[in-house]
Amino acid sequence: MRCVIIVVDSCGAGAAPDAAEYGDEGADTLGHVAQAVGGLDLPNLQAAGLGNLHPTGIEGVPPAEQPTMAYGRLTEASAGKDSTTGHWEIAGVITEEPYATFPDGFPPDLVRRLETATGTGYLGNYSASGTVIIEDLGPEHIATGKPILYTSADSVLQIAAHKDVVPLDELYRICKQARTVADDWRIGRIIARPFEGEPGSFHRTYERHDYAMPPPAPTVLDRAKEAGLQVYGVGKIEDLFVGRGLTDSAHTEGDLDGMRKTIRAIRAVGHGIVMTNLVDLDMRYGHREDPVGYAQGLALFDEHLPHVVAALGADDLLFVTADHGTDPTDGDTNHTREHVPLLVHGRHAAGVALGDRDQYCDVAATVAEALDLPPPDRGASFLADIT
């Protein structure tokens, strides 16, 4: 038996109850994208029940009379709205204390220690959109050889460099050293951001690498591996969990590649877990405030979802969810604190209304029960509802 978890990065489904505390009141990634493009065309997700889980509706995605999957929404219990905390909570670990953020840039002491540890100076050191800052500082970076240092509203320290100026291996080395410095400031992730091109047409590549802090407690991935099961991470799962709990992994170059490698992983795993992150909606469209691209990304996922379902066995379970929102219509390039969708295929899940659930950990609890693993400390399994 296999449990397959696909995290459609940033696919929010309406403002969370505490969204105002994060400056995200009224955020609604799915709803606002649909409005911005005059309606979404997602026949497979519509049939699954995507339109049923959104309380105010999704233009172009009406509720299905007989959904092919169970449907509901998850509400984040962790502090924050970052990919790391979201994925950890899906896997059964709640982050009680938010990781540090630096809206005004990193303090001088941190930067000095970073320069000493990595052996280089930096440009930037302020909060910015990654695509904007490489256009603004890219020419100076090429002239000086200094990497670009920046952050966002999340707990991230990002280092961008042109591949012709700082080779990939050197950028990765710098970021690994930065991880040792950032631990003292409780920074959630160091992100290597390689880019290519000429001034005026720089573009980031899929060779990004995340260096996260390790989860503070065992996840359902850890428990599955300890029990001798196969655990396959697709996309940036290996980065977000620091390799913990995985028996195999594959990085991806976009969501189409991610869907194909998810199918390969399903075929490779006889008994265990496949966990996939699909990054494009967040990286390519959400942070770039591009609702048209976001709609196209959703359509790509919709088109290939039946191929994933076809790869599953009769006893397998598929969970489709997200880690946070990134509303591309709110005038801000940061993540948004939102409910996230929950669609479940397998067993007798079709048409089951799972409601609004108060923690992402319910996914981990359900996976643990299905695979006869110890349950997470938090989370309520809904396995009985779908079997």
Side-chain angles (χ1 to χ4, degrees), residues 88 91-93 215-223 226 244 375-377:
W88 288 356
V93 173
T219 70
V220 71
L221 308 183
D222 293 313
R223 292 191 168 106
E226 289 169 3
R244 263 186 36 186
D377 293 336

Side-chain angles (χ1 to χ4, degrees), residues 13-377:
D18 58 358
E21 299 175 21
Y22 291 82
D24 296 326
E25 189 172 12
D28 185 355
T29 299
L30 277 172
H32 290 160
V33 167
Q35 293 170 9
V37 301
L40 296 170
D41 182 18
L42 306 172
N44 296 306
L45 287 167
Q46 177 184 331
L50 185 67
N52 300 65
L53 64 80
H54 197 293
T56 59
I58 302 171
E59 188 173 345
V61 187
E65 290 187 9
Q66 294 181 319
T68 60
M69 298 188 188
Y71 59 90
R73 296 192 301 177
L74 301 173
T75 308
E76 190 165 11
S78 293
K81 51 179 179 177
D82 178 71
S83 291
T84 306
T85 57
H87 282 76
W88 288 356
E89 188 170 331
I90 292 167
V93 173
I94 287 178
T95 303
E96 302 287 357
E97 182 182 351
Y99 288 101
T101 57
F102 300 87
D104 299 319
F106 300 106
D109 186 37
L110 189 158
V111 176
R112 282 193 295 270
R113 286 186 55 189
L114 184 65
E115 290 174 339
T116 299
T118 61
T120 184
Y122 293 89
L123 304 174
N125 187 26
Y126 53 84
S127 181
S129 161
T131 53
V132 172
I133 200 169
I134 64 173
E135 289 298 338
D136 290 346
L137 299 182
E140 185 179 357
H141 159 66
I142 291 173
T144 65
K146 294 181 178 180
I148 300 168
L149 173 67
Y150 66 105
T151 187
S152 72
D154 299 312
S155 184
V156 291
L157 186 156
Q158 306 192 71
I159 301 175
H162 195 290
K163 290 173 62 178
D164 291 342
V165 177
V166 179
L168 275 178
D169 287 347
E170 174 64 7
L171 178 59
Y172 294 158
R173 182 199 68 80
I174 288 170
C175 290
K176 288 176 182 177
Q177 290 299 114
R179 176 70 271 169
T180 66
V181 173
D183 286 351
D184 290 341
W185 273 269
R186 293 196 78 251
I187 297 173
R189 280 184 294 162
I190 310 300
I191 306 179
R193 291 286 196 177
F195 64 95
E196 299 175 321
E198 303 298 326
S201 60
F202 292 130
H203 59 275
R204 297 189 296 190
T205 76
Y206 281 112
E207 293 151 316
R208 77 175 261 175
H209 207 304
D210 294 40
Y211 300 87
M213 295 187 75
T219 70
V220 71
L221 308 183
D222 293 313
R223 292 191 168 106
K225 183 179 180 181
E226 289 169 3
L229 307 186
Q230 294 170 277
V231 186
Y232 203 126
V234 178
K236 63 181 184 180
I237 298 300
E238 181 183 26
D239 295 349
L240 294 173
F241 291 90
V242 201
R244 263 186 36 186
L246 301 180
T247 59
D248 205 346
S249 63
H251 282 259
T252 59
E253 296 187 0
D255 286 357
L256 178 56
D257 188 40
M259 295 293 276
R260 289 170 174 166
K261 285 179 176 172
T262 298
I263 293 170
R264 292 177 198 163
I266 292 170
R267 291 171 178 161
V269 172
H271 185 52
I273 299 172
V274 175
M275 188 172 189
T276 295
N277 171 274
L278 299 178
V279 73
D280 279 353
L281 294 184
D282 186 57
M283 183 181 79
R284 295 186 61 186
Y285 311 122
H287 287 302
R288 297 183 187 182
E289 293 283 282
D290 180 3
V292 174
Y294 207 104
Q296 293 169 346
L298 285 168
L300 183 145
F301 175 68
D302 181 87
E303 178 184 355
H304 291 275
L305 180 60
H307 301 304
V308 174
V309 171
L312 299 172
D315 291 331
D316 295 341
L317 293 174
L318 168 67
F319 305 81
V320 177
T321 187
D323 50 348
H324 52 72
T326 309
D327 190 331
T329 71
D330 64 355
D332 190 302
T333 62
N334 294 314
H335 296 159
T336 41
R337 180 81 168 183
E338 297 185 49
H339 297 282
V340 296
L342 175 62
L343 295 170
V344 185
H345 169 86
R347 309 290 182 89
H348 299 285
V352 175
L354 296 171
D356 281 355
R357 310 184 73 86
D358 60 6
Q359 54 195 337
Y360 294 3
C361 290
D362 289 2
V363 173
T366 305
V367 169
E369 185 178 2
L371 294 174
D372 294 322
L373 300 172
D377 293 336

